[in-house]
Amino acid sequence: MSELKKLLGKRIREIRIAKNLTQEDLSELTEIGASSISKIESGHFHPTDDNLEKIAKALNVEPYKLYMFNHQKDTKELLQDIQTMLNKATDEEIKLAYKVLSGIID
């Protein structure tokens, strides 16, 4: 099972639950079998492009949002990503990042 299929399935499940939908509800909205929805969410199947569009439409999200996985990283990975970004940043970008973080954290 590929990591992409697992991440995509996890993301679809996450959005579905946030929308208070069951797998059966999503199945009805997309006309994709409930067992296929289950297999997609568990990372065993990757949906076709057509089915991916149906899922995105049923969940009322743009299709690209189904591939937004960064929030699923653990804290250690996120801190490493932030450090990498800061190491590549210009002085102005670092100052801006500081202002943004200060506004959020303080």
Side-chain angles (χ1 to χ4, degrees):
M1 173 179 350
S2 80
E3 187 66 18
L4 178 61
K5 286 193 287 190
K6 286 192 287 187
L7 289 170
L8 177 62
K10 186 176 178 181
R11 180 71 172 144
I12 290 170
R13 180 178 187 277
E14 178 181 78
I15 296 170
R16 175 183 59 75
I17 290 171
K19 304 264 183 185
N20 293 315
L21 296 171
T22 65
Q23 287 182 343
E24 291 76 20
D25 294 334
L26 186 56
S27 173
E28 289 177 22
L29 291 169
T30 60
E31 298 180 351
I32 299 169
S35 64
S36 292
I37 296 290
S38 175
K39 289 175 183 175
I40 290 167
E41 288 186 358
S42 65
H44 289 92
F45 279 2
H46 190 282
T48 63
D49 290 345
D50 288 341
N51 285 345
L52 193 62
E53 285 183 42
K54 289 178 185 179
I55 291 168
K57 184 176 181 178
L59 296 174
N60 197 29
V61 297
E62 293 295 324
Y64 75 89
K65 293 200 176 193
L66 298 176
Y67 288 95
M68 296 180 81
F69 310 134
N70 282 347
H71 70 287
Q72 296 176 358
K73 292 182 178 183
D74 65 26
T75 302
K76 184 178 178 181
E77 289 176 297
L78 291 172
L79 287 171
Q80 288 171 344
D81 287 353
I82 291 167
Q83 186 61 51
T84 299
M85 286 186 262
L86 290 173
N87 289 341
K88 295 177 184 178
T90 65
D91 288 346
E92 290 302 312
E93 290 168 333
I94 291 171
K95 290 175 184 175
L96 178 59
Y98 177 80
K99 287 179 184 177
V100 170
L101 287 173
S102 293
I104 295 170
I105 296 172
D106 283 345

